[in-house]
Amino acid sequence: MSVIIIGGGIGGLCLAQGLRRAGIDVTVHERDRAPGSRWEGYRIHINPVGARALHACLSDAGWQEFLATAGPGGDFGFLTEQLEQLVVVEESIMYPDGADPAESHYAADRATLRRLLRTGLEDVVQFGAEFVGYEQRPDGTVEATFADGRTAVGDVLVGADGAASRVRRQYLPHVRTVDAGAVSVAHKIWLTDEVRAALPRLGTGMNIVNVDAPCFLFTSAFEPPGGASRPYLLCALVTRPDVLPPDLTELDGDALRAAVDVLVAAWHPQLRRALAESDPESRTAIAFRAAEPGPAWRSTPVTVIGDAIHLMPPIGGLGGNTALRDAHLLSRLLAAVARGDQDTLAAIGEYESDMREYGTAAVRSALAQKEQALSHGAVATAGARTWFRLCAAVPALRRRTFGQSYAGPAAPRPWERELAVTRDP
């Protein structure tokens, strides 16, 4: 059995790792010219769903390297724009099984994680391979064509080529992505002693700055263990598109700083200063999009994973973890095909049926969190802050409100929990 993966991002590489563990012939075709040839983003939150997938798909050495390079996920705090602390939710409430490394959560640097996922796949990943299209051949195999004239033939073709997936456009032209009604400006603030002293709560774990306005600020501290790289604070200011310039995504770092500074003019001066002094080269803007739900389709030897099929706003940290879940599930089912235990189309059909269910739920959850976070008004803001303060004062209420809050749409099926323990693909 042979599998062609289009796209060498986190989902595609995790799938390749899982297939390699199962002894399946796999190639990954990535359009980047070389590793690190483009900026790979900030840190990514790996929740227990993503951790299970990595634990199951990576080699023992790869899993240990992940644990050695990922930073702690930390507690989750809620603050006002004046840095008044409303409540801090302990990790033990959000992730009660966190004593097991495969059931915990982490802050991982995207570039480091992608490098780790490439380890052992040096003969598998082909760079400079821009996918053009595919054709199903009479013998049931799939032939992929690339811009430089190369071709590849496999039993299964998997599109892991992101939000603008060319595989999806050919395979599922009826699946559309739409404007999600939010934009974000991301900042990288180096965690110096001065910044830690000025923003003590924001320098640890993850936080939401709750504002009486149609915006919020998400922060996450990335603390690589052992000083492997420089610690930093990711800050993502999320708001409605109409409150920032219409050409936001085309602005450079200095112009983004000026646009954000107007929006946060009434915030605490230390927080405003930290945003203004963030690394200008890493300041970026993005307009959120989301996949529209659609009807089921007839399965073929072509399928899709990750943002290629269930694109969602990066709110709640569900996108990357759902892509890892896709890779975990599909690698298990294709391994059953390779063993002769299941038919190829039946395995892909089972994957797509399950993926549509939890993927659609994850998109819906991300959009709901976006709507809730961007709701504003004096009454709504006062009510939310009063509830947060009550949760801070009453541990039982805090556990009831925030317990298992990240498991929802990405919660595992029984076999996934078992697989993460047995590591038998």
Side-chain angles (χ1 to χ4, degrees):
M1 184 182 186
S2 60
V3 178
I4 299 168
I5 300 174
I6 307 299
I10 290 171
L13 291 173
C14 184
L15 174 61
Q17 289 281 356
L19 296 175
R20 173 59 71 89
R21 281 181 61 85
I24 294 173
D25 179 30
V26 58
T27 54
V28 178
H29 301 265
E30 167 57 51
R31 70 177 180 178
D32 286 357
R33 307 304 301 180
S37 60
R38 62 184 170 93
W39 185 62
E40 298 187 72
Y42 306 92
R43 76 92 179 98
I44 180 174
H45 178 232
I46 301 296
N47 68 20
V49 171
R52 291 182 204 108
L54 292 171
H55 181 248
C57 293
L58 287 171
S59 66
D60 291 337
W63 172 245
Q64 292 304 316
E65 185 178 358
F66 168 74
L67 296 179
T69 56
D75 300 336
F76 203 112
F78 291 85
L79 303 89
T80 71
E81 75 277 13
Q82 300 305 324
L83 298 183
E84 177 196 353
Q85 185 172 298
L86 299 170
V87 63
V88 174
V89 185
E90 302 91 328
E91 284 182 292
S92 59
I93 290 177
M94 298 183 293
Y95 305 103
D97 299 326
D100 178 354
E103 296 294 325
S104 191
H105 75 131
Y106 306 89
D109 181 73
R110 285 181 181 269
T112 301
L113 179 58
R114 198 175 179 193
R115 175 190 58 76
L116 184 158
L117 286 166
R118 283 196 304 267
T119 301
L121 300 178
E122 290 78 9
D123 59 331
V124 165
V125 182
Q126 300 180 17
F127 288 96
E130 181 184 350
F131 174 78
V132 174
Y134 70 84
E135 180 181 354
Q136 289 187 242
R137 306 193 335 166
D139 63 358
T141 59
V142 184
E143 181 176 18
T145 303
F146 301 91
D148 59 5
R150 280 183 288 175
T151 61
V153 177
D155 297 299
V156 174
L157 183 142
V158 181
D161 48 343
S165 171
R166 293 181 179 179
V167 176
R168 182 196 69 232
R169 273 185 270 169
Q170 181 176 351
Y171 176 44
L172 302 170
H174 65 279
V175 174
R176 301 191 312 127
T177 65
V178 296
D179 184 350
V183 296
S184 173
V185 181
H187 307 68
K188 179 184 283 186
I189 300 171
W190 301 112
L191 277 175
T192 63
D193 291 342
E194 181 183 7
V195 169
R196 292 180 192 276
L199 306 173
R201 172 56 221 174
L202 298 187
T204 183
M206 296 179 288
N207 300 277
I208 290 286
V209 175
N210 173 259
V211 188
D212 181 13
C215 68
F216 68 92
L217 182 73
F218 169 78
T219 75
S220 176
F222 177 63
E223 299 266 12
S229 59
R230 191 176 175 186
Y232 64 83
L233 178 67
L234 163 67
C235 292
L237 179 68
V238 180
T239 185
R240 292 198 323 248
D242 59 315
V243 301
L244 286 173
D247 59 346
L248 184 73
T249 58
E250 301 173 12
L251 301 181
D252 62 18
D254 289 338
L256 288 173
R257 178 197 56 75
V260 168
D261 197 49
V262 172
L263 191 61
V264 303
W267 292 20
H268 194 287
Q270 290 177 330
L271 179 52
R272 182 180 176 185
R273 177 184 174 186
L275 291 171
E277 295 180 353
S278 63
D279 180 3
E281 295 184 1
S282 297
R283 208 176 285 135
T284 56
I286 185 173
F288 294 163
R289 297 188 66 81
E292 283 190 324
W297 56 84
R298 181 178 63 87
S299 296
T300 74
V302 177
T303 192
V304 276
I305 69 171
D307 284 350
I309 185 60
H310 43 60
L311 179 65
M312 65 193 78
I315 297 174
L318 297 176
N321 290 286
T322 308
L324 291 172
R325 181 177 182 178
D326 294 344
H328 183 189
L329 172 59
L330 187 56
S331 65
R332 166 188 173 268
L333 291 169
L334 292 182
V337 174
R339 293 193 303 268
D341 295 340
Q342 195 165 8
D343 173 76
T344 300
L345 292 185
I348 293 176
E350 182 177 341
Y351 158 72
E352 292 180 336
S353 176
D354 280 5
M355 177 271 293
R356 277 192 296 267
E357 180 182 345
Y358 65 71
T360 299
V363 174
R364 188 164 52 242
S365 177
L367 289 172
Q369 290 183 58
K370 183 264 300 183
E371 288 297 326
Q372 183 178 21
L374 292 182
S375 64
H376 67 289
V379 174
T381 302
R385 291 180 177 182
T386 298
W387 186 259
F388 288 147
R389 292 186 180 102
L390 281 172
C391 288
V394 184
L397 184 60
R398 189 161 68 251
R399 286 192 296 271
R400 183 178 180 85
T401 300
F402 297 99
Q404 295 292 325
S405 60
Y406 292 89
R413 294 181 182 273
W415 65 262
E416 289 180 295
R417 185 178 294 274
E418 179 182 353
L419 180 58
V421 175
T422 64
R423 300 177 57 78
D424 177 11

